[in-house]
Amino acid sequence: MTIAEERKVQQEKKGRRIVLFPSPLQGHITPMLQLATLLLSKGFSITIVHTRFNSPNPSNYPEFNFEPISDGLPNQKASDVEFMALFSGLNVSFEAPFRDMLDLMLLKNTEEPIVCIVEDGLMQFVQRVADHLKLPRMILETNSVASLVAYTSIPLLRQKGYIPSQDPMSKTPITELPPLRIKDIPVIKGDNQESLYELVVQVTKQRNTSSGFIWNSFDYLERTELSKIQQCCQLPNFLIGPLNKYSLESSTSLIAQDHSCMIWLEKQAPKSVIYVSFGSLASMKNTELMEIAWGLANSMHPFLWVIRPGSVHGSGWVELPNGFEEKTWERGLVVKWAPQQEVLAHPSVGGFWTHNGWNSTLESLCEGVPMLCSPLFGDQKVNARFVSHVWRVGVQLENGFDRGEIEGGIKILMDEKEGEEMRERIKIVKENAEICLRKGGSSHESMNRLEDHIMSL
Ligand code: UDX
């Protein structure tokens, strides 16, 4: 396309507004803002609808129009909120205000027609409102394709008797979903498993009435898994990730990042540091935190450990065990929240001990940092299994948090030949992530198709 033609296309998109509505969780807000940044660069106007609870910071995005919705939700941190309660609450209290807000936008902005709503598939009322107003709706999948395949297989897994399981930690393979085992099924902890299964069925139904799926993943990584999705659903798919490569996560972070750790990293030897973080939602027992502390201390490796306030059930901040500081003096640094992408890109970092949230997993793949995997719930279990057994760029701790196993895992990752081989393999993934975003690459091409698709809706 000539420059003049490109300018004409950009001009056509000017004034076409896309309304993006992320679920109010860090792991969902981050990719949605990254997608919005990308769509803005293509000439679309952007509105971000958000809850006051876990609100993104509008001053980081002066070009976007932010529309807060009064939610009446308790003023809590995401980790304090029970998943099912959060989403049932949203579905009850948000439908009317969201519809009223869009009604008003449609009335006021006749020169800027809304071409599409983008949501992440968890808030069922968005579909009802979009259908009512006859607005096209697309889904931004904030998890891996592999985990979506597993979620959509939940009815089959029930039919075959894999779930509910007497032993949810069973290593029995699921022959229908290799390489997953019963313990890798992406269940979410909760009292009422039946209502969780029902939610999965409803979400799948709702996804399948959308105008298509936008994936934060890339062809090289998840081509095979995508073909499984395509077998049972004919809607268009756009693999345009990894979205984190378009913008640093610093502007999307809901928590202030402590940049002082970058100075500390400067003083460490190349590839010597293990970076430890379990994301924005993880909450563990104090005894588990103690095992992590001693596992790190006994590993004798330098470490940078993120302990987010609220990481331990029922306590704002944590006491580290007696003797821990002496044993790890000048070798370990603890921070409340780090600039994760910058940390992973730092040459001193040689390994990432992670819960395998999809954003963290992608960020690690993109920086070529092999992983020690401690998945905690949901999609993280599937991601960890793919990291360790499909892409083979990490090792999974299979028995929760046990200091001996942690020490052994860190050794494999940081010192042994197996870890070195993972580092070689992940270097190739990193290169391919870069290639797919270049002109002519799969994600670049997919993004072009997505623009055309949105314009045709
Ligand atoms: C949640 C779910 O837990 C996850 O399974 C799902 O895939 C997405 O939503 P979360 O647990 O927060 O997300 O994990 P993750 O997806 O990894 O997102 C965490 C984000 O916080 C990452 O972008 C990471 O860079 C950022 N982060 C983390 C920081 O900026 N600083 C930190 O110290 C830790």
Side-chain angles (χ1 to χ4, degrees):
M1 204 187 286
T2 65
I3 293 176
E5 282 168 337
E6 237 169 62
R7 201 166 290 144
K8 187 164 168 263
V9 172
Q10 289 268 0
Q11 216 53 43
E12 279 169 15
K13 284 177 204 144
K14 273 243 143 40
R16 307 256 168 174
R17 187 161 286 280
I18 300 181
V19 174
L20 300 100
F21 193 171
S23 295
L25 297 172
Q26 176 76 74
H28 292 247
I29 291 170
T30 295
M32 195 65 94
L33 290 174
Q34 289 163 341
L35 172 66
T37 306
L38 187 55
L39 290 168
L40 181 84
S41 75
K42 303 290 177 188
F44 292 102
S45 303
I46 299 295
T47 292
I48 305 285
V49 181
H50 64 93
T51 57
R52 291 190 192 277
F53 161 83
N54 270 348
S55 161
N57 183 355
S59 64
N60 287 336
Y61 295 92
E63 304 98 331
F64 296 172
N65 171 34
F66 281 85
E67 291 282 353
I69 293 195
S70 282
D71 37 50
L73 284 170
N75 192 15
Q76 285 169 297
K77 290 256 176 289
S79 51
D80 299 335
V81 177
E82 211 260 313
F83 184 84
M84 281 299 285
L86 172 65
F87 283 94
S88 338
L90 287 176
N91 276 317
V92 172
S93 57
F94 268 57
E95 183 164 344
F98 180 51
R99 192 182 49 232
D100 294 348
M101 192 213 79
L102 280 182
D103 258 338
L104 201 64
M105 269 177 77
L106 289 167
L107 209 66
K108 277 199 312 202
N109 286 327
T110 42
E111 279 163 25
E112 274 202 334
I114 298 174
V115 280
C116 181
I117 296 175
V118 181
E119 54 132 341
D120 53 31
L122 289 180
M123 298 178 290
Q124 288 155 36
F125 64 92
V126 177
Q127 179 199 5
R128 294 194 290 270
V129 172
D131 289 354
H132 173 76
L133 297 173
K134 300 200 168 33
L135 288 170
R137 177 179 60 95
M138 293 193 73
I139 308 284
L140 169 66
E141 298 289 357
T142 56
N143 294 340
S144 59
V145 185
S147 67
L148 223 287
V149 171
Y151 274 123
T152 49
S153 305
I154 281 186
L156 173 79
L157 300 180
R158 289 190 74 191
Q159 193 195 327
K160 298 266 177 184
Y162 290 110
I163 47 173
S165 167
Q166 297 292 351
D167 175 14
M169 293 309 283
S170 162
K171 291 185 181 160
T172 305
I174 300 173
T175 41
E176 294 80 357
L177 281 183
L180 300 189
R181 307 157 296 176
I182 287 184
K183 70 178 286 200
D184 306 316
I185 297 174
V187 285
I188 301 157
K189 278 187 215 144
D191 296 336
N192 190 344
Q193 286 300 316
E194 277 309 314
S195 60
L196 286 172
Y197 298 151
E198 186 49 33
L199 178 71
V200 169
V201 171
Q202 290 307 328
V203 166
T204 309
K205 257 194 212 149
Q206 183 199 332
R207 291 175 72 252
N208 293 350
T209 59
S210 72
S211 298
F213 310 120
I214 306 168
W215 296 92
N216 186 13
S217 190
F218 49 108
D219 182 73
Y220 172 83
L221 197 68
E222 296 210 275
R223 186 183 306 138
T224 314
E225 293 309 299
L226 187 73
S227 67
K228 294 179 189 163
I229 296 272
Q230 284 166 324
Q231 273 164 25
C232 41
C233 176
Q234 304 305 317
L235 293 173
N237 287 283
F238 305 92
L239 269 82
I240 60 163
L243 286 169
N244 56 296
K245 291 309 276 181
Y246 290 106
S247 54
L248 275 182
E249 101 281 3
S250 47
S251 55
T252 65
S253 186
L254 301 174
I255 309 174
Q257 295 172 326
D258 181 348
H259 284 261
S260 66
C261 57
M262 300 309 293
I263 301 164
W264 180 84
L265 280 176
E266 284 299 315
K267 296 186 203 134
Q268 311 304 318
K271 304 224 180 309
S272 67
V273 175
I274 176 133
Y275 168 62
V276 188
S277 164
F278 304 111
S280 64
L281 294 173
S283 176
M284 55 185 69
K285 295 185 202 134
N286 196 45
T287 47
E288 293 175 316
L289 191 100
M290 295 299 124
E291 290 300 305
I292 296 175
W294 286 123
L296 285 171
N298 297 341
S299 79
M300 301 311 285
H301 268 280
F303 61 86
L304 170 59
W305 181 12
V306 176
I307 307 183
R308 198 193 71 248
S311 303
V312 171
H313 302 313
S315 70
W317 187 238
V318 291
E319 290 293 329
L320 289 166
N322 279 337
F324 174 77
E325 219 171 291
E326 291 77 4
K327 185 150 185 183
T328 59
W329 188 245
E330 292 201 333
R331 176 164 64 82
L333 183 67
V334 175
V335 295
K336 292 183 178 166
W337 197 245
Q340 180 162 300
Q341 256 181 258
E342 283 171 61
V343 167
L344 289 170
H346 196 282
S348 299
V349 173
F352 182 14
W353 184 9
T354 171
H355 67 314
N356 288 115
W358 186 234
N359 295 290
S360 294
T361 305
L362 274 180
E363 289 159 15
S364 208
L365 291 170
C366 286
E367 299 307 337
V369 179
M371 289 164 256
L372 186 61
C373 307
S374 287
L376 299 165
F377 59 83
D379 63 315
Q380 300 160 14
K381 297 168 173 219
V382 180
N383 298 340
R385 191 71 180 154
F386 272 68
V387 164
S388 58
H389 280 75
V390 178
W391 308 318
R392 295 166 64 224
V393 293
V395 58
Q396 181 167 347
L397 298 178
E398 295 286 352
N399 302 299
F401 295 108
D402 168 84
R403 63 185 76 181
E405 194 186 3
I406 294 167
E407 192 189 333
I410 294 177
K411 253 195 192 96
I412 294 177
L413 195 70
M414 306 295 279
D415 303 330
E416 293 181 5
K417 188 158 175 276
E418 208 179 321
E420 204 35 58
E421 287 165 359
M422 290 173 200
R423 196 159 284 117
E424 286 306 312
R425 281 193 284 271
I426 203 165
K427 216 193 271 171
I428 299 170
V429 178
K430 175 184 159 119
E431 282 162 15
N432 276 284
E434 284 159 9
I435 291 169
C436 77
L437 294 174
R438 285 188 209 138
K439 204 168 178 189
S442 62
S443 293
H444 188 270
E445 292 301 300
S446 223
M447 187 62 210
N448 288 341
R449 285 198 299 114
L450 173 62
E451 283 176 62
D452 294 344
H453 181 67
I454 292 176
M455 292 298 283
S456 73
L457 289 172

